[in-house]
Amino acid sequence: MPNPVERMAGHRCADAREAAREVLCGLGVGPRAFDDVLTVVAELVSNAIRHAGGVTGFRIRPLPEAVAVEVSDASPRLPSSPGTPASVPGGFGWLLVRKLAQRTDIRTGREGKTITAYLPLTAPAM
């Protein structure tokens, strides 16, 4: 099993996706699950940049039947999406993350929050 990849502050979406690719390529993940993980990585990192002052930590780690994507930022504000008017751009990323992930956890503290999304290594059939 590949080693987890961990990076700290200043992470860009492209850097996070590349780190995810490094881990996923070593796992033999199918194309659909591969794309789902990259989508969640991009959404969590871009949301941290756009809404929470930037990424303070990023980690992706393989688990026995899943991969955990962790993104930390300096804002204690929890993500939200329901109730966003259709006329307002955005607001669908968190909904997409929750749909693709088996589970999401949010840990808050004095220095902000960490969102962890757990994604299956095999994508469910549609």
Side-chain angles (χ1 to χ4, degrees):
M1 193 173 283
N3 291 327
V5 173
E6 190 165 353
R7 304 248 164 73
M8 294 311 289
H11 223 52
R12 299 175 310 135
C13 283
D15 299 329
R17 285 191 306 268
E18 184 57 34
R21 280 187 196 95
E22 288 175 25
V23 171
L24 294 173
C25 284
L27 295 173
V29 175
R32 172 114 187 272
F34 196 95
D35 289 346
D36 287 353
V37 171
L38 293 182
T39 297
V40 167
V41 165
E43 288 297 334
L44 290 177
V45 170
S46 65
N47 283 348
I49 292 167
R50 185 176 296 121
H51 302 294
V55 175
T56 59
F58 172 82
R59 184 175 182 202
I60 181 165
R61 57 191 165 90
L63 303 169
E65 295 186 18
V67 65
V69 175
E70 299 177 5
V71 176
S72 301
D73 61 53
S75 173
R77 194 171 124 222
L78 300 179
S80 63
S81 58
T84 302
S87 60
V88 176
F92 299 101
W94 180 236
L95 186 65
L96 180 59
V97 167
R98 289 182 33 226
K99 180 162 181 61
L100 294 175
Q102 287 176 324
R103 178 177 110 227
T104 55
D105 294 331
I106 303 172
R107 294 183 317 273
T108 59
R110 292 185 332 204
E111 297 181 10
K113 69 180 168 297
T114 297
I115 298 175
T116 306
Y118 298 89
L119 292 103
L121 294 178
T122 56
M126 294 288 276

